[in-house]
Amino acid sequence: MCEIIEKQIERYETMLREMWTASAKYLGAFSVNLLVERVVWEISMDYKEIELLQYDENGISCAGIAACLKKNPDTPVDDMFTKFITRYVEILARLLGHEKTEIIKKRLNEEFGRIPFYSKEE
């Protein structure tokens, strides 16, 4: 797999772990697991590769997606993860409220900056 794609996947995995940790503070690990399951289900309609995202109450891993990309490097990784993260934040805003979601979005923007985090609620 191309080193650039590997770095992208690592970066997104770090971002998803940060989102998981921040969300679990407010919702609990079980609820975050359900949230991720919902988002995976929705995004998988456009990107089947997202079904390879590994998650449970202990966290999240992109190892399955990384393995798939070795066979199919043409997958639009940025678009897939952007849609995943955007949808996650939209649902999170409804669950936690705007104020707590803004804290999470601000932290993610500070660390990862490139992805516009927004919700339909704004």
Side-chain angles (χ1 to χ4, degrees):
M1 176 171 31
C2 178
E3 187 175 323
I4 294 171
I5 294 174
E6 285 180 16
K7 294 289 183 195
Q8 281 181 304
I9 296 296
E10 286 177 23
R11 187 164 186 245
Y12 284 119
E13 184 174 62
T14 300
M15 187 182 309
L16 293 177
R17 287 182 177 165
E18 288 286 327
M19 289 170 57
W20 181 279
T21 301
S23 302
K25 288 180 187 178
Y26 300 107
L27 297 174
F30 180 77
S31 295
V32 173
N33 189 49
L34 292 175
L35 174 58
V36 170
E37 185 175 321
R38 168 63 186 260
V39 176
V40 165
W41 175 77
E42 287 184 23
I43 301 305
S44 71
M45 293 178 195
D46 294 324
Y47 302 100
K48 287 293 181 193
E49 297 84 359
I50 201 71
E51 292 176 350
L52 299 171
L53 187 67
Q54 299 162 332
Y55 56 95
D56 61 22
E57 291 181 24
N58 298 314
I60 197 163
S61 170
C62 295
I65 294 172
C68 175
L69 291 177
K70 288 180 182 177
K71 297 175 187 171
N72 186 8
D74 295 332
T75 301
V77 175
D78 286 326
D79 191 46
M80 178 177 68
F81 279 108
T82 298
K83 286 184 178 185
F84 180 92
I85 293 165
T86 299
R87 184 65 185 133
Y88 185 97
V89 170
E90 288 172 356
I91 294 171
L92 195 63
R94 290 186 183 138
L95 294 172
L96 296 178
H98 184 68
E99 185 176 307
K100 288 184 174 124
T101 303
E102 282 300 315
I103 293 168
I104 294 170
K105 286 172 26 179
K106 181 179 178 193
R107 183 171 176 198
L108 290 170
N109 275 322
E110 287 171 357
E111 292 193 34
F112 302 101
R114 209 176 109 240
I115 295 179
F117 298 103
Y118 64 91
S119 71
K120 292 177 184 173
E121 300 290 314
E122 294 179 3

